[in-house]
């Protein structure tokens, strides 16, 4: 009974003070908590501001990059349009050219003109063959064709074919005999006949080259049985003055002439002239798609040249 009264008295006299203090502690705790929350929110806000700043900077960079790419793409589109226009024009011109090429004045006309041109060439070469016929002298036993200079050429047959062996070939009734050496007992008439035959061959080669419009590697200076052939790059030992000059041969350098006859000449120079003449024949054969029979067979190569040009296949090649 006394205890209950004491508690009631304490409640009446001291409870308001205790409640006030407790309330103060609660307000202070809540204030501190809210302050901490505000600090955290401020930190988060600063962090987000930083992120937003970085994102804004990155956005500006990307925007500038996109703008440059748009400009580049715009330029590419303009270039593509220009190229498309050019391509369209070129395609139209190509179609027009194709129609013109396939028309009456196109490829068909070119082939017709080519056949007419080659037929004309055949006719002129046939006239040359009538003037200087190359035949086989059957039943005679003269020496075969003029051989090359003294064993200087061992290349053999360049085309893999054997020369004619039914008899000696003759041009306008004359043989080309071996005259690599001259002596006191050499038949002067035989030497003269061979020189005349070489003059005939040189004339035929010059005529056919002009008909085919082929510049000869070794030009000829015609003079009948006293004809010459020119070499612009002869195999001559250089002198001391040549060694000091440039190694390149000047375009205006004077060619060296070699005689296509033996009388009064060095046999080696004459044989080398025949070798160069045969090289001209090989050049003409190669031009028309023929085959050379080798460096020792001048008349055989000439006969093959005439046969190829006068064949029916020559017109359609």
């Amino acid at each position: 009974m006394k205890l209950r009264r004491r508690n009631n008295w304490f409640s009446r006299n001291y409870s308001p003070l205790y409640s006030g203090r407790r309330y103060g502690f609660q307000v202070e705790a809540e204030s501190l908590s809210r302050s901490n929350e505000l600090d955290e929110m401020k930190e988060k806000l600063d962090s987000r501001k930083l992120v937003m700043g970085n994102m804004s900077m990155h956005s500006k960079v990307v925007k500038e990059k996109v703008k440059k790419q748009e400009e580049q793409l715009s330029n590419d589109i303009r270039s593509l349009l220009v190229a498309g226009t050019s391509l369209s024009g070129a395609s139209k011109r190509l179609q027009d050219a194709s129609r013109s090429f396939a028309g009456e004045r196109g490829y068909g006309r070119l082939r017709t003109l080519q056949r007419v041109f080659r037929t004309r060439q055949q006719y002129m070469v046939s006239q040359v063959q009538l003037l200087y016929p190359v035949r086989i002298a059957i039943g005679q036993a003269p020496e075969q064709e003029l051989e090359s200079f003294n064993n200087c050429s061992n290349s053999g047959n360049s085309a893999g074919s054997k020369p004619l062996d039914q008899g000696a070939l003759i041009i306008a009734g004359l043989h080309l005999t071996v005259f690599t050496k001259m002596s006191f007992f050499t038949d002067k008439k035989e030497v003269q006949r061979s020189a005349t035959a070489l003059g005939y061959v040189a004339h035929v080669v010059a005529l056919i080259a002009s008909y085919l419009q082929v510049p000869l590697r070794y030009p000829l200076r015609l003079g009948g049985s006293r004809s010459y052939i020119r070499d612009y790059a002869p195999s001559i030992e250089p002198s001391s003055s040549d060694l000091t000059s440039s190694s390149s041969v000047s375009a205006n350098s004077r060619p060296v002439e070699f005689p296509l006859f033996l009388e009064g000449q060095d046999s080696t120079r004459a044989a080398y002239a025949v070798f160069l003449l045969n090289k001209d024949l090989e050049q003409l054969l190669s031009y028309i798609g023929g085959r050379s029979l080798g460096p020792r067979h001048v008349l055989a190569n000439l006969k093959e040249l005439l046969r190829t040009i006068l064949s029916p296949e020559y017109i359609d090649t």
Side-chain angles (χ1 to χ4, degrees):
M1 192 70 176
K2 290 181 180 180
L3 181 61
R4 185 182 299 174
R5 290 177 179 176
R6 186 180 296 175
N7 289 335
N8 292 335
W9 179 85
F10 182 80
S11 298
R12 287 193 302 269
N13 293 288
Y14 295 98
S15 58
L17 179 60
Y18 176 75
S19 298
R21 289 180 179 177
R22 188 174 61 180
Y23 179 75
F25 288 148
Q26 290 178 352
V27 170
E28 185 177 356
E30 290 179 359
S31 177
L32 182 61
S33 176
R34 290 182 178 180
S35 178
N36 292 334
E37 290 178 358
L38 288 174
D39 291 339
E40 292 177 0
M41 292 177 66
K42 186 177 180 181
E43 291 179 358
K44 291 181 180 180
L45 181 61
D46 293 339
S47 177
R48 290 186 178 182
K49 286 182 178 180
L50 181 60
V51 172
M52 291 297 293
N54 293 335
M55 291 180 64
S56 177
M57 183 64 66
H58 181 69
S59 177
K60 290 181 180 180
V61 173
V62 172
K63 187 176 180 180
E64 292 178 358
K65 186 176 180 181
V66 170
K67 186 177 179 180
K68 291 181 180 179
Q69 289 180 350
E70 288 178 350
E71 292 176 355
Q72 181 65 33
L73 182 60
S74 179
N75 294 332
D76 292 342
I77 291 174
R78 285 194 294 268
S79 300
L80 186 61
L81 290 175
V82 173
T85 304
S86 301
L87 180 61
S88 177
S91 178
K92 184 178 179 180
R93 290 193 297 271
L94 180 61
Q95 291 177 359
D96 295 339
S98 298
R99 286 192 294 268
S100 177
F101 186 73
E104 295 181 355
R105 302 182 63 83
Y107 181 72
R109 180 175 176 80
L110 177 63
R111 290 292 298 173
T112 301
L113 292 176
Q114 186 179 24
R115 289 175 61 87
V116 172
F117 180 68
R118 287 181 177 269
T119 302
R120 181 63 178 172
Q121 286 179 336
Q122 276 192 339
Y123 174 75
M124 291 187 293
V125 172
S126 66
Q127 298 303 306
V128 174
Q129 187 184 39
L130 291 177
L131 291 174
Y132 301 105
V134 180
R135 299 190 179 95
I136 301 173
I138 301 176
Q140 300 183 14
E143 294 182 349
Q144 292 289 335
E145 284 194 53
L146 179 67
E147 302 208 357
S148 61
F149 48 94
N150 302 326
N151 299 325
C152 289
S153 175
N154 295 322
S155 59
N157 195 336
S158 62
S161 301
K162 293 183 178 180
L164 297 172
D165 57 0
Q166 294 90 340
L169 287 171
I170 57 176
I171 178 170
L174 298 177
H175 293 278
L176 286 179
T177 55
V178 178
F179 51 76
T180 55
K181 293 182 180 181
M182 282 192 67
S183 66
F184 180 78
F185 301 100
T186 302
D187 188 353
K188 300 298 188 297
K189 290 184 179 180
E190 186 66 25
V191 171
Q192 180 62 35
R193 285 194 292 268
S194 294
T196 303
L198 283 173
Y200 290 165
V201 174
H203 193 197
V204 173
V205 169
L207 289 175
I208 293 178
S210 65
Y211 298 157
L212 300 180
Q213 297 180 352
V214 176
L216 291 174
R217 174 66 180 83
Y218 303 101
L220 294 160
R221 182 163 69 86
L222 301 178
S225 61
R226 293 295 184 270
S227 298
Y228 290 84
I229 191 167
R230 298 171 179 174
D231 187 4
Y232 283 87
S235 301
I236 300 177
E237 292 296 331
S239 61
S240 58
S241 60
D242 295 333
L243 292 176
T244 58
S245 63
S246 175
S247 60
S248 60
V249 179
S250 174
N252 298 324
S253 61
R254 186 176 180 180
V256 177
E257 291 188 340
F258 294 91
L260 286 168
F261 56 93
L262 189 58
E263 185 177 357
Q265 301 292 330
D266 179 31
S267 60
T268 301
R269 289 176 58 84
Y272 184 65
V274 179
F275 173 79
L276 296 182
L277 179 63
N278 195 61
K279 284 298 181 181
D280 283 343
L281 283 167
E282 291 180 352
Q283 178 187 357
L284 295 175
L285 281 168
S286 177
Y287 178 77
I288 63 174
R291 288 187 174 185
S292 170
L293 299 176
R296 295 173 180 265
H297 309 288
V298 176
L299 289 184
N301 284 332
L302 179 58
K303 186 175 180 63
E304 178 66 14
L305 178 64
L306 294 171
R307 185 199 66 79
T308 304
I309 295 177
L310 297 177
S311 64
E313 293 79 10
Y314 177 75
I315 297 179
D316 297 325
T317 55

